[in-house]
Amino acid sequence: MATCKECEEPLVLEVEDEEGNGTESIPDDLELPCGCHFHWQCLLDQASELAISLKCPSCDAQIAANMAGPSVTNPFLPASSGAAILTKYTNEGGVQENFDFLPALTEEAYLDANPEARPARAYHVLCSEGDVGGIVELLRDAEQGDAEEPRMNAAQLIRYQDPLANAKSGLHLAVEKGREEVVWLLLWIASTLPADAFPAEAMQAADAMGLQRPSELSSEDIRALTDDQGRTAEAVAAQMGHAWAAMVERGVLHPGS
C-alpha cells in the first residue's frame, strides 16, 4: 500500500463506523503533479512554506500549473489568474481528477499567519449557511474569550472582510446566498436601520435570543462596507433581482437609511 511522503503512514484515515461499534478505513490520498502522495492534513500542515515555494516538500519539483502562484511579498493573498495546483484527490467521496489544491493551501497559509482570522472565517461560513444560532453563539464567544490570545471582538467579526474572497463581508455573503434571516440579524446588531423597518418575526427572533440593539454603533454601519469591486450589499442585492427586490425598493440595505 502506498504511504504518505510526510508521515510514511498508509494513505487512509481511521474513522468511527456508522454503527459506532468500531472504526473503518477511508482513503485520504492527495497526489501532487510530481507523483508524490500525501495525506490532506500532512500537506496542509506545511501550507506557509508551500504557499511561497510552490514546490513538493518531498522531491522539490515545482507543482504550480503555471508557476504564477502567490507572490513572495504577499504570499497569502489569492494567486494570480490561472495559477493552480492540479492534483488527484481520493477520499471517501471517490476520485477527483484535476482537483485544484491551491485555494485550500492559500487559505491555510493565510490563517497560519493570521490566527485571529479563524473565527472570522467560521463566521462567514455560518452567514453563508444561514445558521443564525451559530452566528449568535460565535459572537458571544468572541466577547468572552481569553484576552491573551489574538482574537477579534464581536464588532470586528461582524465587519470582517475576507481578503481571500474579494473582501466580502458576512452581509454580502448572506445576500448572495439568499439568507434573509441572517440579513435581518446583521442589520439588527450592526446598522442604524430604524426598528420600525424590521418585520415582526425578525424582532421576535432577536428578542428570543436576547439580542438588544446597541444604542449607538461602535463601528461602521455594516451596509456601508464594500467588496473589492466597490459593491455594497445593497448593490449585490440589486444585481440579484427579484429575490431581494422588495428589500432594495424599501431602502432597507441602503447605508444610512
Side-chain angles (χ1 to χ4, degrees):
M1 176 182 291
T3 59
C4 173
K5 287 290 188 178
E6 178 64 22
C7 68
E8 300 183 348
E9 294 292 330
L11 291 162
V12 295
L13 291 177
E14 296 297 324
V15 299
E16 187 174 315
D17 63 27
E18 294 183 359
E19 291 75 27
N21 298 323
T23 61
E24 61 179 337
S25 298
I26 60 172
D28 180 36
D29 180 358
L30 188 66
E31 181 182 355
L32 295 181
C34 57
C36 292
H37 295 254
F38 295 86
H39 292 116
W40 175 277
Q41 193 58 52
C42 285
L43 206 54
L44 271 193
D45 286 344
Q46 304 175 70
S48 297
E49 296 81 10
L50 285 176
I52 297 174
S53 71
L54 296 179
K55 292 182 178 181
C56 172
S58 177
C59 71
D60 208 36
Q62 286 286 346
I63 54 177
N66 65 359
M67 311 282 286
S71 72
V72 172
T73 56
N74 204 358
F76 307 128
L77 294 179
S80 305
S81 176
I85 298 177
L86 300 180
T87 69
K88 179 180 178 181
Y89 184 41
T90 306
N91 62 5
E92 187 177 16
V95 179
Q96 300 177 64
E97 299 280 357
N98 295 319
F99 174 80
D100 185 5
F101 184 66
L102 184 56
L105 175 68
T106 305
E107 176 180 2
E108 188 63 23
Y110 170 75
L111 293 175
D112 282 349
N114 302 275
E116 70 280 2
R118 288 188 183 275
R121 298 280 290 184
Y123 159 71
H124 274 196
V125 171
L126 295 172
C127 288
S128 296
E129 295 177 348
D131 188 346
V132 170
I135 293 169
V136 172
E137 182 178 356
L138 183 64
L139 295 178
R140 285 176 174 156
D141 287 346
E143 292 301 320
Q144 300 169 2
D146 184 353
E148 295 183 359
E149 297 179 357
R151 64 181 178 90
M152 298 182 187
N153 60 34
Q156 292 170 321
L157 278 178
I158 292 167
R159 293 165 179 82
Y160 175 72
Q161 294 180 260
D162 191 348
L164 301 183
N166 307 114
K168 294 174 184 176
S169 69
L171 185 59
H172 284 90
L173 295 172
V175 168
E176 284 186 349
K177 300 297 184 180
R179 307 301 187 183
E180 187 172 345
E181 289 185 3
V182 173
V183 169
W184 285 120
L185 168 67
L186 298 181
L187 294 179
W188 182 260
I189 60 180
S191 82
T192 58
L193 183 68
D196 59 12
F198 287 81
E201 315 87 77
M203 297 179 69
Q204 290 166 1
D207 184 63
M209 290 184 285
L211 297 175
Q212 301 296 322
R213 295 206 78 187
S215 56
E216 61 180 38
L217 295 181
S218 59
S219 300
E220 187 176 16
D221 189 319
I222 195 171
R223 296 172 296 174
L225 300 178
T226 58
D227 64 15
D228 64 4
Q229 298 178 47
R231 301 178 304 168
T232 62
E234 180 185 41
V236 174
Q239 291 174 355
M240 295 182 67
H242 178 71
W244 297 102
M247 198 173 282
V248 171
E249 185 175 344
R250 289 172 53 203
V252 168
L253 292 170
H254 188 69
S257 62

